Amino acid sequence: MRKLLNEKGATLPYTLLLFFLLQVFIFLGVNIYLSKYTTANDLAQYYETKTVELLALKSIIPQISHSDLEPIQGSYSSSFGLVQYEATAGEEIVELNLTTIKKDGSSFSSHFLYNKENNTIEHVVEQ
């Protein structure tokens, strides 16, 4: 330690190392923050899309449960975006395709199988 204090410029490498480590920790902290922020934003967008989709299902299901075997097409509009649907009815099962188009232009598609007799959604495929 005494030799370290007697040498001129001996503390510069330690100072640079300390500064470099500080920069690495700051960079990692910012990276973690941005990762959490984007994850939270993506989850909010996903749940917003699913909420619009469920609101559309709530208005579509009464129409398709009382319809005959003819295909049904239409759209459901909300403040978050537009949901376009297409239903192909069978005897018991109705195939329902939903495409959600949000205000920012992004789209999300889902495929549902709805059982008319049980009034339940049996299968969901998200695309």
Side-chain angles (χ1 to χ4, degrees), residues 54-115:
L54 288 175
L55 288 172
L57 277 175
K58 189 175 180 181
S59 69
I60 295 168
I61 286 180
Q63 293 176 7
I64 62 175
S65 62
H66 299 301
S67 68
D68 295 332
L69 299 176
E70 59 192 46
I72 300 171
Q73 292 182 346
S75 64
Y76 173 82
S77 181
S78 72
S79 61
F80 295 113
L82 178 72
V83 178
Q84 297 174 340
Y85 61 90
E86 181 179 323
T88 307
E91 291 293 323
E92 288 183 28
I93 302 293
V94 177
E95 291 185 36
L96 182 63
N97 293 314
L98 296 179
T99 303
T100 305
I101 303 168
K102 295 179 63 175
K103 295 280 184 185
D104 61 359
S106 61
S107 65
F108 186 81
S109 298
S110 297
H111 179 75
F112 296 91
L113 294 179
Y114 175 73
N115 190 334

